Amino acid sequence: MGLCFLGSSAIWGPSNVSGPEGGSLSVLCGYDATFKTYNKWWCRGAVWRPCQILVQTTGSEQEVKKDRVSIRDNHKNLTFTVTMEKLRKDDADVYWCGIQRTGTDDGVQMTVSVDPAPTTVPTTTTTTTSTVPTTPAETTASAGRTGHLSDGRGHGAELSIPGCVSPTLCVCVCVCALVLLFLVSSSLLLKHDMRVPTRGHS
């Protein structure tokens, strides 16, 4: 393959291109109308003749892709585009845009560099939970309205006594009522026994 430097009338392109690590880059190379239907290629290596052709067109405008590199010719604009994807650090090197010709190929040299991948700072999300405190007045009022009994399984069961301001007072009233009922009953039984006449022995 012969060598055609940057600025040649046959083919031209940028002298330096770069892309981010993990990203992609595109190289646009132009050529003379004489070579519209000629095959175009993308070659890697600082030395012209032993450079490695990575991808090459077939003389049409159809895209050709091989591994992470693709090439597409545009006959109307007289340009072809090379795209390198998923860039790695070791992709940095000297490359060539070239035209395949009978006898001697034409090409233009350029340097490809890979920029370090951007660093990202992880973000953390903090969730705040707020609770409304219970005032002593609310606690006292609740205790005055309801009592708690155990249902035998460790769960509390609420006991409400209608008409009672305090459960303790209601219990005392009930006990007093029962005692009074017992005394009245005992008095009635005693009076009944006194009214029954005793029988004499014959």
Side-chain angles (χ1 to χ4, degrees), residues 129-198:
T129 303
S130 59
T131 57
V132 179
T134 303
T135 62
E138 293 175 342
T139 305
T140 303
S142 299
R145 289 193 300 267
T146 60
H148 293 276
L149 295 178
S150 174
D151 60 0
R153 292 172 295 180
H155 301 287
E158 292 187 355
L159 173 65
S160 298
I161 304 176
C164 291
V165 177
S166 173
T168 304
L169 179 59
C170 289
V171 171
C172 291
V173 171
C174 291
V175 172
C176 291
L178 290 175
V179 172
L180 181 60
L181 181 61
F182 176 78
L183 292 176
V184 172
S185 300
S186 299
S187 176
L188 291 176
L189 288 174
L190 181 60
K191 289 180 179 181
H192 177 72
D193 290 340
M194 292 176 65
R195 291 176 184 177
V196 176
T198 58

Side-chain angles (χ1 to χ4, degrees), residues 7-202:
S8 166
S9 60
I11 185 171
W12 55 91
S15 58
N16 294 280
V17 289
S18 64
E21 183 180 358
S24 63
L25 64 81
S26 294
V27 181
L28 184 66
C29 295
Y31 55 86
D32 187 84
T34 306
F35 307 105
K36 178 183 294 187
T37 59
Y38 284 55
N39 293 348
K40 318 303 187 304
W41 46 256
W42 177 250
C43 191
R44 178 176 183 173
V47 183
W48 169 257
R49 287 190 178 275
C51 78
Q52 178 186 3
I53 295 179
L54 302 179
V55 67
Q56 180 174 310
T57 67
T58 58
S60 67
E61 293 185 312
Q62 184 177 1
E63 182 184 54
V64 178
K65 186 173 183 179
K66 187 175 181 181
D67 297 330
R68 298 179 293 114
V69 185
S70 62
I71 187 171
R72 181 188 291 273
D73 200 351
N74 188 321
H75 293 166
K76 181 179 180 180
N77 295 334
L78 300 177
T79 60
F80 65 93
T81 304
V82 177
T83 303
M84 298 178 64
E85 301 176 338
K86 299 177 182 178
L87 291 172
R88 301 191 295 247
K89 291 181 180 180
D90 58 3
D91 287 329
D93 204 343
V94 175
Y95 292 81
W96 302 79
C97 275
I99 300 174
Q100 185 179 28
R101 298 176 58 188
T102 302
T104 303
D105 291 356
D106 288 317
V108 57
Q109 185 187 73
M110 61 197 67
T111 301
V112 171
S113 58
V114 179
D115 301 326
T119 57
T120 57
V121 179
T123 58
T124 57
T125 303
T126 303
T127 303
T128 303
T129 303
S130 59
T131 57
V132 179
T134 303
T135 62
E138 293 175 342
T139 305
T140 303
S142 299
R145 289 193 300 267
T146 60
H148 293 276
L149 295 178
S150 174
D151 60 0
R153 292 172 295 180
H155 301 287
E158 292 187 355
L159 173 65
S160 298
I161 304 176
C164 291
V165 177
S166 173
T168 304
L169 179 59
C170 289
V171 171
C172 291
V173 171
C174 291
V175 172
C176 291
L178 290 175
V179 172
L180 181 60
L181 181 61
F182 176 78
L183 292 176
V184 172
S185 300
S186 299
S187 176
L188 291 176
L189 288 174
L190 181 60
K191 289 180 179 181
H192 177 72
D193 290 340
M194 292 176 65
R195 291 176 184 177
V196 176
T198 58
R199 293 180 182 181
H201 298 280
S202 53

